[in-house]
Amino acid sequence: MSAVQTFFIQGSVSSFSSSPSVTTCRKVSVKFTVSCCSAASPVTIVNGNVEKRSSDRNEIRLGLPSKGRMATDTLDLLKDCQLSVRQVNPRQYVAEIPQISNLEVWFQRPKDIVRKLVSGDLDLGIVGLDTVSEFGQGNEDLIIVHDSLDYGDCRLSLAIPKYGIFENVNSMKELAEMPQWTPERPLRVATGFTYLGPKFMKDNGLKHVTFSTADGALEAAPAMGIADAIVDLVSSGTTLRENNLKEIEGGIILESQAVLVAGRKSLMQRKGVLDITHEMLERLEAHLRAVGQFTVTANMRGSSAEEVAERILSQTSLSGLQGPTVSPVFCKRDGRVTADYFAIVICVPKKALYKSVQQLRAIGGSGVLISPLTYIFDEETPRWRQLLSMLGL
């Protein structure tokens, strides 16, 4: 049953009437009657666009970072996995991945991706683990599907000045034991991480701490006298050092990189989400496992496949993923088909590539061919089994 509410707008509206010689203006009262339904509307107006409620839509939604290095690296990774994102208009926030039907890509701020995963407006997302931890705040409805996408590496750390009262402070224990921090004069920390920062301080026994919210250029806060310490993301640590700041033992709050995250309710209740998650997970795992790996093929003379395999396995760099593949190379000699040579195939990491080639030559290998690997598919992706276990499936 609907209720009716009446709203009065204070003030007036100008009403004009005109004639060939004069224009007059008079003030009139305006009254609006608005019907408000007690039941929730199935649509939401967002920036002038009609957006379906999460419970009514059929499309699966993937949230991706809209700007910055994380956005670029995410699109590059998906492209390498044959999941290129097609965006017709770069100003639009919605795109698609043609290889996966019924999947919408929504470009959002990282923190909004996490919030919308919690609310159910997104089903899957790729963001930094630091963002998931800060804005997800331990919500059990958020599930990390893949925790190591191999980019966006950084750490969330506490940093203090190298000088003054902090000169000889090199650990969280020493910081907590400093007599300077009292209820009247607490440790002042500048940070944009207003959930993880206070939680970390409490877990480390620092009782007298106040936080000021800040974004960007936090390294200047101690020198300006507006903070004693900062909690911020650190990559190489160069910026900290250049601003006379230091990380301390036990001061790393979180090691972070890009992760694939999903909403538990979407995985369990929305048709198609689990299947799409499985496909994305398999593609990501296969590609990431192949990064930096090379296929090495060579010919080797031998009396049998077993004898050749024994020679190969005597070398530490030639074992491959599960051992070498050894196949006879047939040729016709004096009217007969014989197999004097064997082709061997192994998988070698980039850092061991040259050493592996040297070892192959040393045991009689020739005609060595090398090609980069694109995918390495396991019989089953271990992370998929872990996900099903977390969901109780």
Side-chain angles (χ1 to χ4, degrees), residues 190-206:
T191 185
F193 290 83
T194 56
Y195 171 76
L196 292 176
K199 183 177 183 299
F200 176 75
M201 292 297 189
K202 182 180 179 181
D203 293 344
N204 282 271
L206 279 143

Side-chain angles (χ1 to χ4, degrees), residues 366-388:
S366 62
V368 181
L369 303 177
I370 298 171
S371 57
L373 279 169
T374 305
Y375 301 104
I376 299 176
F377 283 96
D378 284 319
E379 183 177 351
E380 186 178 51
T381 304
R383 283 186 172 88
W384 174 246
R385 293 195 297 271
Q386 294 172 12
L387 175 61
L388 294 181

Side-chain angles (χ1 to χ4, degrees), residues 27-322:
K27 294 182 179 180
V28 297
S29 296
V30 181
K31 177 180 176 181
F32 289 92
T33 300
V34 182
S35 295
C36 299
C37 297
S38 58
S41 171
V43 298
T44 304
I45 306 299
V46 179
N47 295 327
N49 296 318
V50 176
E51 183 177 278
K52 294 181 182 178
R53 287 170 57 88
S54 60
S55 59
D56 296 331
R57 60 181 169 83
N58 295 317
E59 300 81 11
I60 310 304
R61 289 179 176 175
L62 168 67
L64 300 183
S66 56
K67 295 180 181 179
R69 180 65 181 273
M70 181 71 80
T72 301
D73 290 348
T74 299
L75 293 177
D76 288 343
L77 173 63
L78 292 174
K79 182 179 180 180
D80 290 339
C81 296
Q82 304 299 310
L83 294 173
S84 295
V85 176
R86 185 170 69 185
Q87 190 176 15
V88 178
N89 185 341
R91 293 183 179 274
Q92 289 182 334
Y93 289 97
V94 186
E96 64 176 355
I97 296 178
Q99 288 79 8
I100 301 181
S101 61
N102 202 38
L103 178 68
E104 292 180 344
V105 174
W106 286 73
F107 292 102
Q108 302 281 294
R109 294 183 303 176
K111 62 181 180 182
D112 290 336
I113 291 176
V114 176
R115 288 167 175 164
K116 290 177 181 179
L117 283 168
V118 172
S119 69
D121 294 311
L122 291 174
D123 305 304
L124 297 162
I126 295 180
V127 289
L129 180 60
D130 59 292
T131 306
V132 177
S133 302
E134 172 67 18
F135 296 97
Q137 300 186 3
N139 193 307
E140 293 183 354
D141 280 339
L142 292 174
I143 293 183
I144 304 296
V145 178
H146 197 300
D147 61 351
S148 180
L149 295 181
D150 284 355
Y151 67 96
D153 295 70
C154 60
R155 58 189 179 274
L156 182 63
S157 284
L158 173 77
I160 60 176
K162 297 178 180 179
Y163 49 85
I165 61 173
F166 298 102
E167 185 174 359
N168 297 316
V169 176
N170 296 298
S171 69
M172 283 299 297
K173 184 176 183 295
E174 292 172 349
L175 180 65
E177 292 175 351
M178 290 178 69
Q180 283 88 348
W181 319 131
T182 66
E184 294 76 24
R185 175 58 174 91
L187 175 70
R188 299 168 302 158
V189 180
T191 185
F193 290 83
T194 56
Y195 171 76
L196 292 176
K199 183 177 183 299
F200 176 75
M201 292 297 189
K202 182 180 179 181
D203 293 344
N204 282 271
L206 279 143
K207 299 179 180 178
H208 308 306
V209 186
T210 59
F211 290 84
S212 58
T213 305
D215 293 314
L218 291 181
E219 294 83 3
M224 295 177 68
I226 59 177
D228 302 304
I230 67 171
V231 168
D232 201 11
L233 293 175
V234 180
S235 295
S236 64
T238 301
T239 305
L240 290 181
R241 291 189 293 270
E242 289 178 347
N243 285 276
N244 291 315
L245 298 175
K246 62 182 178 182
E247 296 176 271
I248 57 177
E249 181 184 346
I252 296 179
I253 301 170
L254 179 73
E255 296 280 0
S256 179
Q257 62 177 296
V259 298
L260 174 64
V261 62
R264 181 185 295 270
K265 291 178 181 177
S266 290
L267 290 170
M268 296 292 291
Q269 300 173 9
R270 189 174 297 286
K271 182 180 178 181
V273 175
L274 204 57
D275 290 337
I276 286 177
T277 302
H278 189 195
E279 179 175 349
M280 290 189 66
L281 191 55
E282 288 228 304
R283 287 175 179 263
L284 289 167
E285 283 273 77
H287 170 68
L288 291 171
R289 194 175 180 202
V291 171
Q293 298 282 344
F294 289 82
T295 299
V296 177
T297 305
N299 288 334
M300 190 175 296
R301 187 184 291 274
S303 58
S304 68
E306 290 76 12
E307 184 267 327
V308 171
E310 188 171 341
R311 266 190 284 161
I312 295 170
L313 291 172
S314 69
Q315 306 297 315
T316 57
S317 296
L318 302 181
S319 59
L321 293 176
Q322 296 173 322

